[in-house]
């Protein structure tokens, strides 16, 4: 309850920050997963957004921990990695408060996050399940059009890409991009040697996600 009260104390500042600036941060979590993976990805996406969708995001994203009240300063959080994810009860409560207060979390599975993430999200929203977004969801038709939904950027297990979300009062507050690996497509060209058209799809989809989050 104390954490919930603290979160709402930051709500006013959070709303003001959202109106006056457009900032994103990388979410640092426990459990041993490499939250710091794809180091060039988010800076490249920010540069793309500032050039193509008229955002004014600070070029170097900050890093915030799940339980830190400073997450309320950022309207958009990005989370990625491989493998294990762990939230303490206090962290889960802080994240829930942030999302219900108007924040947005994008989780991009770099490979292997799904079973751990699904478990930990139950701490954040015990009564909610990840549900798949249809290709007609507005996130796929912001600046760039994706009529078939989430694009496939990298192959891992040969599964189709899925955009999974959690909603609150009709608003998408958490987006989990699975079996797509957008972050690999955002990285410097030399990292994965992706064709330019693949990188462009990844960056355009990422820009759509940021545009959607900033509008809602």
């Amino acid at each position: 309850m104390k954490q919930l009260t603290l979160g709402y104390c930051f709500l006013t500042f959070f709303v003001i920050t959202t109106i006056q600036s457009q900032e994103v941060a990388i979410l640092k979590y426990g459990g041993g997963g490499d939250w710091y993976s794809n180091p060039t990805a988010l800076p490249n996406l920010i540069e793309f957004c500032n050039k193509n969708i008229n955002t004014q995001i600070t070029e170097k994203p900050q890093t915030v921990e799940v339980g830190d009240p400073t997450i309320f300063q950022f309207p958009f959080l990005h989370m990625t990695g491989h493998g294990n994810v762990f939230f303490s009860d206090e962290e889960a409560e802080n994240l829930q408060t942030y999302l219900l207060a108007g924040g947005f979390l994008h989780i991009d599975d770099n490979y292997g996050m799904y079973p751990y993430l699904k478990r930990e999200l139950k701490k954040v929203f015990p009564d909610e399940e990840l549900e798949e977004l249809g290709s007609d969801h507005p996130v796929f038709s912001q600046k760039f059009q994706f009529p078939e939904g989430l694009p496939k950027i990298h192959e891992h297990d040969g599964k189709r890409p899925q955009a999974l979300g959690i909603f609150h009062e009709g608003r998408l507050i958490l987006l989990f991009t699975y079996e797509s690996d957008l972050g690999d497509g955002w990285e410097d060209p030399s990292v994965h040697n992706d064709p330019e058209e693949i990188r462009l799809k990844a960056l355009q989809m990422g820009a759509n996600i940021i545009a959607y989050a900033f509008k809602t």
Side-chain angles (χ1 to χ4, degrees), residues 109-129:
D109 190 355
N110 208 347
Y111 189 62
M113 292 181 76
Y114 183 77
Y116 308 103
L117 181 68
K118 187 175 181 181
R119 177 195 67 204
E120 295 307 292
L121 287 180
K122 276 296 179 184
K123 297 178 183 177
V124 183
F125 294 109
D127 299 323
E128 301 292 339
E129 297 286 346

PDB file of all heavy atoms in Angstrom, residues 109-129:
ATOM      1  N   ASP A 109      11.225  -9.614 -26.858  1.00  0.00           N
ATOM      2  CA  ASP A 109      11.905 -10.871 -26.543  1.00  0.00           C
ATOM      3  C   ASP A 109      13.101 -11.063 -27.477  1.00  0.00           C
ATOM      4  O   ASP A 109      12.937 -11.301 -28.668  1.00  0.00           O
ATOM      5  CB  ASP A 109      10.923 -12.033 -26.694  1.00  0.00           C
ATOM      6  CG  ASP A 109      11.478 -13.348 -26.163  1.00  0.00           C
ATOM      7  OD1 ASP A 109      12.661 -13.381 -25.768  1.00  0.00           O
ATOM      8  OD2 ASP A 109      10.727 -14.335 -26.141  1.00  0.00           O
ATOM      9  N   ASN A 110      14.280 -10.961 -26.909  1.00  0.00           N
ATOM     10  CA  ASN A 110      15.502 -11.171 -27.680  1.00  0.00           C
ATOM     11  C   ASN A 110      15.759 -12.664 -27.887  1.00  0.00           C
ATOM     12  O   ASN A 110      16.632 -13.037 -28.659  1.00  0.00           O
ATOM     13  CB  ASN A 110      16.689 -10.517 -26.962  1.00  0.00           C
ATOM     14  CG  ASN A 110      17.784 -10.092 -27.901  1.00  0.00           C
ATOM     15  OD1 ASN A 110      17.817 -10.470 -29.060  1.00  0.00           O
ATOM     16  ND2 ASN A 110      18.711  -9.302 -27.393  1.00  0.00           N
ATOM     17  N   TYR A 111      15.029 -13.472 -27.185  1.00  0.00           N
ATOM     18  CA  TYR A 111      14.982 -14.933 -27.277  1.00  0.00           C
ATOM     19  C   TYR A 111      15.047 -15.536 -25.875  1.00  0.00           C
ATOM     20  O   TYR A 111      15.971 -15.273 -25.111  1.00  0.00           O
ATOM     21  CB  TYR A 111      16.100 -15.534 -28.128  1.00  0.00           C
ATOM     22  CG  TYR A 111      15.895 -17.025 -28.386  1.00  0.00           C
ATOM     23  CD1 TYR A 111      14.783 -17.476 -29.083  1.00  0.00           C
ATOM     24  CD2 TYR A 111      16.797 -17.966 -27.920  1.00  0.00           C
ATOM     25  CE1 TYR A 111      14.579 -18.826 -29.314  1.00  0.00           C
ATOM     26  CE2 TYR A 111      16.600 -19.325 -28.140  1.00  0.00           C
ATOM     27  CZ  TYR A 111      15.490 -19.750 -28.839  1.00  0.00           C
ATOM     28  OH  TYR A 111      15.275 -21.094 -29.057  1.00  0.00           O
ATOM     29  N   GLY A 112      14.036 -16.313 -25.555  1.00  0.00           N
ATOM     30  CA  GLY A 112      14.036 -17.081 -24.314  1.00  0.00           C
ATOM     31  C   GLY A 112      13.378 -16.428 -23.119  1.00  0.00           C
ATOM     32  O   GLY A 112      13.379 -16.998 -22.029  1.00  0.00           O
ATOM     33  N   MET A 113      12.777 -15.253 -23.282  1.00  0.00           N
ATOM     34  CA  MET A 113      12.176 -14.553 -22.149  1.00  0.00           C
ATOM     35  C   MET A 113      10.785 -15.062 -21.786  1.00  0.00           C
ATOM     36  O   MET A 113      10.360 -14.939 -20.632  1.00  0.00           O
ATOM     37  CB  MET A 113      12.047 -13.050 -22.450  1.00  0.00           C
ATOM     38  CG  MET A 113      13.331 -12.285 -22.541  1.00  0.00           C
ATOM     39  SD  MET A 113      13.001 -10.525 -22.876  1.00  0.00           S
ATOM     40  CE  MET A 113      12.448  -9.988 -21.257  1.00  0.00           C
ATOM     41  N   TYR A 114      10.069 -15.599 -22.756  1.00  0.00           N
ATOM     42  CA  TYR A 114       8.625 -15.786 -22.600  1.00  0.00           C
ATOM     43  C   TYR A 114       8.188 -16.528 -21.326  1.00  0.00           C
ATOM     44  O   TYR A 114       7.334 -16.014 -20.585  1.00  0.00           O
ATOM     45  CB  TYR A 114       8.042 -16.475 -23.837  1.00  0.00           C
ATOM     46  CG  TYR A 114       6.550 -16.644 -23.773  1.00  0.00           C
ATOM     47  CD1 TYR A 114       5.711 -15.562 -24.006  1.00  0.00           C
ATOM     48  CD2 TYR A 114       5.975 -17.878 -23.465  1.00  0.00           C
ATOM     49  CE1 TYR A 114       4.334 -15.703 -23.945  1.00  0.00           C
ATOM     50  CE2 TYR A 114       4.606 -18.022 -23.398  1.00  0.00           C
ATOM     51  CZ  TYR A 114       3.788 -16.934 -23.640  1.00  0.00           C
ATOM     52  OH  TYR A 114       2.429 -17.076 -23.556  1.00  0.00           O
ATOM     53  N   PRO A 115       8.711 -17.704 -21.020  1.00  0.00           N
ATOM     54  CA  PRO A 115       8.181 -18.416 -19.846  1.00  0.00           C
ATOM     55  C   PRO A 115       8.441 -17.674 -18.536  1.00  0.00           C
ATOM     56  O   PRO A 115       7.606 -17.707 -17.624  1.00  0.00           O
ATOM     57  CB  PRO A 115       8.910 -19.765 -19.875  1.00  0.00           C
ATOM     58  CG  PRO A 115      10.115 -19.537 -20.719  1.00  0.00           C
ATOM     59  CD  PRO A 115       9.731 -18.503 -21.726  1.00  0.00           C
ATOM     60  N   TYR A 116       9.577 -17.009 -18.448  1.00  0.00           N
ATOM     61  CA  TYR A 116       9.911 -16.272 -17.221  1.00  0.00           C
ATOM     62  C   TYR A 116       9.083 -15.001 -17.115  1.00  0.00           C
ATOM     63  O   TYR A 116       8.591 -14.646 -16.038  1.00  0.00           O
ATOM     64  CB  TYR A 116      11.400 -15.927 -17.214  1.00  0.00           C
ATOM     65  CG  TYR A 116      12.281 -17.118 -17.459  1.00  0.00           C
ATOM     66  CD1 TYR A 116      12.868 -17.333 -18.696  1.00  0.00           C
ATOM     67  CD2 TYR A 116      12.506 -18.062 -16.450  1.00  0.00           C
ATOM     68  CE1 TYR A 116      13.670 -18.441 -18.933  1.00  0.00           C
ATOM     69  CE2 TYR A 116      13.302 -19.180 -16.674  1.00  0.00           C
ATOM     70  CZ  TYR A 116      13.877 -19.360 -17.920  1.00  0.00           C
ATOM     71  OH  TYR A 116      14.674 -20.461 -18.149  1.00  0.00           O
ATOM     72  N   LEU A 117       8.924 -14.339 -18.234  1.00  0.00           N
ATOM     73  CA  LEU A 117       8.143 -13.105 -18.245  1.00  0.00           C
ATOM     74  C   LEU A 117       6.687 -13.377 -17.898  1.00  0.00           C
ATOM     75  O   LEU A 117       6.075 -12.654 -17.105  1.00  0.00           O
ATOM     76  CB  LEU A 117       8.243 -12.440 -19.618  1.00  0.00           C
ATOM     77  CG  LEU A 117       7.497 -11.123 -19.760  1.00  0.00           C
ATOM     78  CD1 LEU A 117       8.141 -10.046 -18.914  1.00  0.00           C
ATOM     79  CD2 LEU A 117       7.424 -10.700 -21.213  1.00  0.00           C
ATOM     80  N   LYS A 118       6.130 -14.422 -18.472  1.00  0.00           N
ATOM     81  CA  LYS A 118       4.733 -14.768 -18.206  1.00  0.00           C
ATOM     82  C   LYS A 118       4.516 -15.002 -16.713  1.00  0.00           C
ATOM     83  O   LYS A 118       3.517 -14.560 -16.134  1.00  0.00           O
ATOM     84  CB  LYS A 118       4.343 -16.010 -19.003  1.00  0.00           C
ATOM     85  CG  LYS A 118       2.870 -16.347 -18.928  1.00  0.00           C
ATOM     86  CD  LYS A 118       2.514 -17.515 -19.841  1.00  0.00           C
ATOM     87  CE  LYS A 118       1.027 -17.816 -19.774  1.00  0.00           C
ATOM     88  NZ  LYS A 118       0.655 -18.959 -20.634  1.00  0.00           N
ATOM     89  N   ARG A 119       5.477 -15.681 -16.083  1.00  0.00           N
ATOM     90  CA  ARG A 119       5.396 -15.930 -14.640  1.00  0.00           C
ATOM     91  C   ARG A 119       5.434 -14.622 -13.851  1.00  0.00           C
ATOM     92  O   ARG A 119       4.636 -14.402 -12.933  1.00  0.00           O
ATOM     93  CB  ARG A 119       6.573 -16.825 -14.231  1.00  0.00           C
ATOM     94  CG  ARG A 119       6.673 -17.128 -12.741  1.00  0.00           C
ATOM     95  CD  ARG A 119       8.050 -17.696 -12.433  1.00  0.00           C
ATOM     96  NE  ARG A 119       9.099 -16.712 -12.638  1.00  0.00           N
ATOM     97  CZ  ARG A 119      10.382 -17.021 -12.898  1.00  0.00           C
ATOM     98  NH1 ARG A 119      10.752 -18.294 -13.014  1.00  0.00           N
ATOM     99  NH2 ARG A 119      11.270 -16.059 -13.042  1.00  0.00           N
ATOM    100  N   GLU A 120       6.352 -13.728 -14.205  1.00  0.00           N
ATOM    101  CA  GLU A 120       6.527 -12.504 -13.434  1.00  0.00           C
ATOM    102  C   GLU A 120       5.407 -11.504 -13.664  1.00  0.00           C
ATOM    103  O   GLU A 120       5.074 -10.731 -12.757  1.00  0.00           O
ATOM    104  CB  GLU A 120       7.887 -11.862 -13.756  1.00  0.00           C
ATOM    105  CG  GLU A 120       9.071 -12.712 -13.339  1.00  0.00           C
ATOM    106  CD  GLU A 120       9.002 -13.140 -11.879  1.00  0.00           C
ATOM    107  OE1 GLU A 120       9.119 -12.268 -10.997  1.00  0.00           O
ATOM    108  OE2 GLU A 120       8.810 -14.362 -11.625  1.00  0.00           O
ATOM    109  N   LEU A 121       4.818 -11.508 -14.855  1.00  0.00           N
ATOM    110  CA  LEU A 121       3.710 -10.595 -15.103  1.00  0.00           C
ATOM    111  C   LEU A 121       2.490 -10.939 -14.258  1.00  0.00           C
ATOM    112  O   LEU A 121       1.641 -10.077 -13.998  1.00  0.00           O
ATOM    113  CB  LEU A 121       3.333 -10.595 -16.591  1.00  0.00           C
ATOM    114  CG  LEU A 121       4.311  -9.876 -17.521  1.00  0.00           C
ATOM    115  CD1 LEU A 121       3.810  -9.948 -18.971  1.00  0.00           C
ATOM    116  CD2 LEU A 121       4.517  -8.419 -17.115  1.00  0.00           C
ATOM    117  N   LYS A 122       2.402 -12.179 -13.788  1.00  0.00           N
ATOM    118  CA  LYS A 122       1.327 -12.558 -12.886  1.00  0.00           C
ATOM    119  C   LYS A 122       1.448 -11.840 -11.542  1.00  0.00           C
ATOM    120  O   LYS A 122       0.462 -11.649 -10.826  1.00  0.00           O
ATOM    121  CB  LYS A 122       1.304 -14.077 -12.673  1.00  0.00           C
ATOM    122  CG  LYS A 122       0.545 -14.821 -13.758  1.00  0.00           C
ATOM    123  CD  LYS A 122      -0.924 -14.418 -13.742  1.00  0.00           C
ATOM    124  CE  LYS A 122      -1.724 -15.108 -14.818  1.00  0.00           C
ATOM    125  NZ  LYS A 122      -3.134 -14.618 -14.827  1.00  0.00           N
ATOM    126  N   LYS A 123       2.673 -11.440 -11.184  1.00  0.00           N
ATOM    127  CA  LYS A 123       2.859 -10.639  -9.970  1.00  0.00           C
ATOM    128  C   LYS A 123       2.365  -9.212 -10.183  1.00  0.00           C
ATOM    129  O   LYS A 123       1.898  -8.560  -9.255  1.00  0.00           O
ATOM    130  CB  LYS A 123       4.339 -10.602  -9.579  1.00  0.00           C
ATOM    131  CG  LYS A 123       4.950 -11.940  -9.217  1.00  0.00           C
ATOM    132  CD  LYS A 123       6.422 -11.764  -8.890  1.00  0.00           C
ATOM    133  CE  LYS A 123       7.098 -13.077  -8.585  1.00  0.00           C
ATOM    134  NZ  LYS A 123       8.560 -12.903  -8.336  1.00  0.00           N
ATOM    135  N   VAL A 124       2.498  -8.737 -11.400  1.00  0.00           N
ATOM    136  CA  VAL A 124       2.105  -7.364 -11.723  1.00  0.00           C
ATOM    137  C   VAL A 124       0.596  -7.265 -11.907  1.00  0.00           C
ATOM    138  O   VAL A 124      -0.060  -6.369 -11.367  1.00  0.00           O
ATOM    139  CB  VAL A 124       2.834  -6.868 -12.994  1.00  0.00           C
ATOM    140  CG1 VAL A 124       2.481  -5.410 -13.286  1.00  0.00           C
ATOM    141  CG2 VAL A 124       4.340  -7.029 -12.854  1.00  0.00           C
ATOM    142  N   PHE A 125       0.039  -8.187 -12.681  1.00  0.00           N
ATOM    143  CA  PHE A 125      -1.405  -8.219 -12.953  1.00  0.00           C
ATOM    144  C   PHE A 125      -1.914  -9.650 -12.753  1.00  0.00           C
ATOM    145  O   PHE A 125      -2.034 -10.412 -13.722  1.00  0.00           O
ATOM    146  CB  PHE A 125      -1.699  -7.747 -14.374  1.00  0.00           C
ATOM    147  CG  PHE A 125      -1.376  -6.299 -14.619  1.00  0.00           C
ATOM    148  CD1 PHE A 125      -0.289  -5.945 -15.407  1.00  0.00           C
ATOM    149  CD2 PHE A 125      -2.143  -5.295 -14.045  1.00  0.00           C
ATOM    150  CE1 PHE A 125       0.011  -4.614 -15.629  1.00  0.00           C
ATOM    151  CE2 PHE A 125      -1.841  -3.960 -14.254  1.00  0.00           C
ATOM    152  CZ  PHE A 125      -0.763  -3.612 -15.051  1.00  0.00           C
ATOM    153  N   PRO A 126      -2.219 -10.013 -11.511  1.00  0.00           N
ATOM    154  CA  PRO A 126      -2.610 -11.403 -11.211  1.00  0.00           C
ATOM    155  C   PRO A 126      -3.832 -11.888 -11.980  1.00  0.00           C
ATOM    156  O   PRO A 126      -3.961 -13.085 -12.233  1.00  0.00           O
ATOM    157  CB  PRO A 126      -2.889 -11.372  -9.699  1.00  0.00           C
ATOM    158  CG  PRO A 126      -2.146 -10.178  -9.192  1.00  0.00           C
ATOM    159  CD  PRO A 126      -2.161  -9.180 -10.300  1.00  0.00           C
ATOM    160  N   ASP A 127      -4.730 -10.969 -12.334  1.00  0.00           N
ATOM    161  CA  ASP A 127      -5.983 -11.369 -12.963  1.00  0.00           C
ATOM    162  C   ASP A 127      -6.003 -11.158 -14.471  1.00  0.00           C
ATOM    163  O   ASP A 127      -7.049 -11.303 -15.114  1.00  0.00           O
ATOM    164  CB  ASP A 127      -7.148 -10.582 -12.337  1.00  0.00           C
ATOM    165  CG  ASP A 127      -7.275 -10.843 -10.851  1.00  0.00           C
ATOM    166  OD1 ASP A 127      -7.048 -11.990 -10.431  1.00  0.00           O
ATOM    167  OD2 ASP A 127      -7.580  -9.888 -10.102  1.00  0.00           O
ATOM    168  N   GLU A 128      -4.855 -10.817 -15.037  1.00  0.00           N
ATOM    169  CA  GLU A 128      -4.792 -10.533 -16.462  1.00  0.00           C
ATOM    170  C   GLU A 128      -3.941 -11.566 -17.196  1.00  0.00           C
ATOM    171  O   GLU A 128      -3.023 -12.148 -16.625  1.00  0.00           O
ATOM    172  CB  GLU A 128      -4.211  -9.140 -16.716  1.00  0.00           C
ATOM    173  CG  GLU A 128      -4.992  -7.997 -16.081  1.00  0.00           C
ATOM    174  CD  GLU A 128      -6.354  -7.794 -16.702  1.00  0.00           C
ATOM    175  OE1 GLU A 128      -6.561  -8.234 -17.846  1.00  0.00           O
ATOM    176  OE2 GLU A 128      -7.219  -7.184 -16.040  1.00  0.00           O
ATOM    177  N   GLU A 129      -4.252 -11.758 -18.469  1.00  0.00           N
ATOM    178  CA  GLU A 129      -3.462 -12.623 -19.334  1.00  0.00           C
ATOM    179  C   GLU A 129      -3.002 -11.823 -20.548  1.00  0.00           C
ATOM    180  O   GLU A 129      -3.697 -10.902 -21.001  1.00  0.00           O
ATOM    181  CB  GLU A 129      -4.286 -13.824 -19.819  1.00  0.00           C
ATOM    182  CG  GLU A 129      -4.761 -14.758 -18.721  1.00  0.00           C
ATOM    183  CD  GLU A 129      -3.647 -15.627 -18.147  1.00  0.00           C
ATOM    184  OE1 GLU A 129      -2.566 -15.701 -18.778  1.00  0.00           O
ATOM    185  OE2 GLU A 129      -3.865 -16.223 -17.088  1.00  0.00           O
TER     186      GLU A 129
END
